[in-house]
Amino acid sequence: FVIWRKSPSMTILLTGAGGQVGCEIQRHSNQAGMPMVPMPRERLDITDRDAVRQVVRETAPGIIVNAAAYTAVDKAEDEPERAYRINRDGAGYLAQSAAEAGIPLIHLSTDYVFDGTSSRPYVETDTASPTGVYGISKWEGEQAVRHHLPQRDLPRIQGAPPRAARGPAPAVPPDPRRHPRLQPALHR
């Protein structure tokens, strides 16, 4: 949210606005008075390159935040094509459209790009080593974003609070090996 505080009049295009993370981002943005164009899956299918381009042109955002993702970790093993279409291809289309519009993209990724075997908390510069379809599809999405867009941020988060959770962070802290840098902001 730091980039938005620098330019409070900047309009945010939020994809995945109907999901858990998207709802939390909207809640915080509304509280801060940040202008936002929320795009749930029903309004924007990020796997449709032409639709993504059209929405970016029509909304003329100052920044795109991609909270859209295929997040059914176990089910991804049975639906790999769908996971890759959303997590890799959709992320790439958003990055390509952001590059064409000359605007930054914050693409939310996951701690599942790591295998969880480290004895210390992961940092963004650690080598990715995803082990399942979900993690690999998210890692390939990060690569697609990097390919199209040098002006991007790729925070990795570890889940999200349930929509009804509006209180303090849960009593059980997240796995310290996969501790995300954005997690505390989502729990506030």
Side-chain angles (χ1 to χ4, degrees), residues 46-108:
I46 66 166
T47 68
D48 181 338
R49 181 190 323 236
D50 293 333
V52 170
R53 282 184 170 144
Q54 181 178 346
V55 164
V56 170
R57 270 193 313 270
E58 289 176 359
T59 60
I63 187 169
I64 299 171
V65 176
N66 181 27
Y70 181 97
T71 59
V73 176
D74 294 332
K75 196 172 178 184
E77 299 299 322
D78 297 325
E79 297 183 337
E81 300 84 14
R82 186 166 181 224
Y84 282 104
R85 203 169 50 249
I86 296 168
N87 294 340
R88 179 194 58 208
D89 302 342
Y93 299 153
L94 287 165
Q96 187 175 27
S97 293
E100 290 168 358
I103 58 174
L105 167 69
I106 297 174
H107 171 71
L108 301 180

Side-chain angles (χ1 to χ4, degrees), residues 117-141:
T117 61
S118 177
S119 60
R120 61 168 178 74
Y122 286 102
V123 295
E124 279 78 8
T125 56
D126 286 339
T127 302
S129 54
T131 59
V133 170
Y134 171 70
I136 295 168
S137 69
K138 290 297 285 182
W139 172 244
E140 289 186 11

Side-chain angles (χ1 to χ4, degrees), residues 133-155:
V133 170
Y134 171 70
I136 295 168
S137 69
K138 290 297 285 182
W139 172 244
E140 289 186 11
E142 288 185 21
Q143 298 309 308
V145 170
R146 285 183 181 96
H147 172 77
H148 290 292
L149 195 63
Q151 294 295 322
R152 82 315 188 173
D153 195 6
L154 298 164

